[in-house]
Amino acid sequence: AKFEKILTDINVVLGATNDNLNKFGDGLANVARNTSQSLEVAAEAALEFSRQGLSMEETLKRTNDALILTRLTGMKAADAVKGLTAAVNGFGDVGLTTSDIINKLAAVDVKFAVSADDLVNALSRAGAVAQDAGVQFDQLIGAVTAAQQITARGGAVIGNSFKTIFTRVQRSSTISRLEELGIAVRDIRGNTLPALTVLKNLSSAYDTLGASTKAAVAEQVGGVFQVNILKAAIKDLNKETSLYSQATEVSANATDQAYEKNAILQKSLSSIAVQTLTTVRELTANLGELTIAPALKNFLGGANDMLSMFNEVFGEGKG
């Protein structure tokens, strides 16, 4: 019943015909089977995506990707939807899809001491600011991965830290201060370099600075509460083979790692049991629609008419 109610809520947004809504329901059942999630969880995720003005096809696609992410990370479906939405919106100008994103997350998750959960939490907080600062998606993945592996602070903390760092490094006062120290912050046309390029240039010169200058620059670029994350990033960026460069490359070269993982998980006994249950529930719903629903609608319609008649008789103060 809850599944049907959510479908009705979705259709308030989509405005689909009965036939198209039935097709959407079938597609949603397939998504639930493919990700070993309940029909209700799949429907709730789809409801959130449908509110974003997406087509039926795109809603189903993004729901499938969000539930794969839920499966791989243990995140709640609602959090996976929010995280993917933030990542897509943050880097919408470069045409990244939810499929691209979950595959990149899965690829990096396997190779480094960072979870896809950490990456999603960081992306949702720093994504929009990062793109404004000229930071590419794969580069942000690389920066977060390096910071997490070095500091183990968690994706939410690291994401907020980079959000602050990228904002501060673009300030005219920060740019002027770095220029005074001889650190390259502009290209040959005089345009400010991307934030991570500026940080890399800073990392090359950081060890040559005096102790007081280091502290002042770190506070100006990172702020008081982000100094540890900034120093971890600077230390890693200064290495010839940095975690940042390695993770960035892995993310850039990702193919279909998330889908491969999901396919492997589909073969487990518990997954097969969930898939079977979903199929049984779908069959039961369809049988009920064909046999029970018409009779129930007639009964309820007649009961409603009868109760309305009694209401008219006794409703005028004659109770």
Side-chain angles (χ1 to χ4, degrees):
K2 184 178 180 181
F3 176 66
E4 285 75 17
K5 180 185 180 302
I6 298 175
L7 270 185
T8 301
D9 293 339
I10 291 173
N11 200 38
V12 170
V13 180
L14 295 178
T17 64
N18 285 336
D19 286 345
N20 284 336
L21 185 61
N22 288 334
K23 290 178 182 177
F24 183 81
D26 292 341
L28 208 50
N30 288 332
V31 167
R33 271 190 293 271
N34 182 53
T35 57
S36 291
Q37 301 288 336
S38 71
L39 285 169
E40 287 80 7
V41 169
E44 287 172 353
L47 177 59
E48 292 304 314
F49 280 124
S50 69
R51 287 170 174 162
Q52 299 172 22
L54 303 173
S55 66
M56 283 189 177
E57 293 77 11
E58 186 63 20
T59 296
L60 288 173
K61 178 179 176 297
R62 293 195 184 189
T63 300
N64 185 69
D65 290 337
L67 295 185
I68 287 177
L69 184 60
T70 295
R71 189 178 199 179
L72 298 184
T73 63
M75 297 175 68
K76 293 182 179 178
D79 293 334
V81 170
K82 291 176 184 176
L84 282 181
T85 299
V88 168
N89 292 343
F91 290 87
D93 294 346
V94 295
L96 277 178
T97 67
T98 52
S99 300
D100 296 327
I101 292 169
I102 65 171
N103 284 319
K104 289 176 182 293
L105 299 180
V108 174
D109 182 305
V110 170
K111 298 285 186 179
F112 301 91
V114 62
S115 68
D117 193 352
D118 283 323
L119 294 172
V120 170
N121 283 325
L123 289 171
S124 64
R125 288 163 173 78
V129 174
Q131 190 174 28
D132 289 342
V135 178
Q136 298 174 6
F137 184 86
D138 297 319
Q139 292 176 321
L140 180 56
I141 290 286
V144 172
T145 299
Q148 172 62 19
Q149 189 153 320
I150 294 169
T151 68
R153 293 297 303 277
V157 172
I158 292 171
N160 284 328
S161 294
F162 275 121
K163 180 180 178 180
T164 299
I165 291 167
F166 293 152
T167 299
R168 294 174 73 95
V169 83
Q170 295 178 91
R171 291 179 179 174
S172 58
S173 57
T174 304
I175 293 296
S176 297
R177 178 57 176 149
L178 294 178
E179 283 183 312
E180 291 173 3
L181 296 172
I183 296 166
V185 294
R186 300 183 190 276
D187 60 21
I188 58 175
R189 296 180 179 178
N191 299 317
T192 304
L193 293 168
L196 276 171
T197 304
V198 173
L199 291 179
K200 191 167 185 178
N201 293 339
L202 172 60
S203 73
S204 300
Y206 192 73
D207 288 338
T208 66
L209 303 176
S212 59
T213 304
K214 282 182 180 179
V217 169
E219 185 172 334
Q220 183 162 7
V221 175
V224 176
F225 301 108
Q226 283 74 39
V227 168
N228 288 338
I229 300 297
L230 175 64
K231 288 182 176 179
I234 289 175
K235 182 179 180 180
D236 181 67
L237 286 168
N238 196 34
K239 294 178 181 178
E240 188 172 337
T241 307
S242 62
L243 288 168
Y244 160 76
S245 61
Q246 294 176 53
T248 299
E249 183 177 1
V250 169
S251 178
N253 294 328
T255 53
D256 57 355
Q257 283 84 348
Y259 293 112
E260 289 176 356
K261 278 188 174 183
N262 186 64
I264 292 171
L265 291 172
Q266 281 292 88
K267 298 176 183 177
S268 69
L269 184 60
S270 60
S271 292
I272 293 172
V274 173
Q275 295 165 48
T276 303
L277 178 60
T278 298
T279 301
V280 170
R281 289 188 61 190
E282 186 183 20
L283 175 61
T284 302
N286 288 334
L287 287 175
E289 188 67 27
L290 290 172
T291 59
I292 300 173
L296 186 59
K297 286 178 181 176
N298 290 335
F299 170 76
L300 291 176
N304 183 60
D305 292 340
M306 183 177 295
L307 291 172
S308 296
M309 181 183 68
F310 281 125
N311 188 53
E312 290 177 3
V313 171
F314 296 109
E316 299 178 358
K318 299 178 181 179

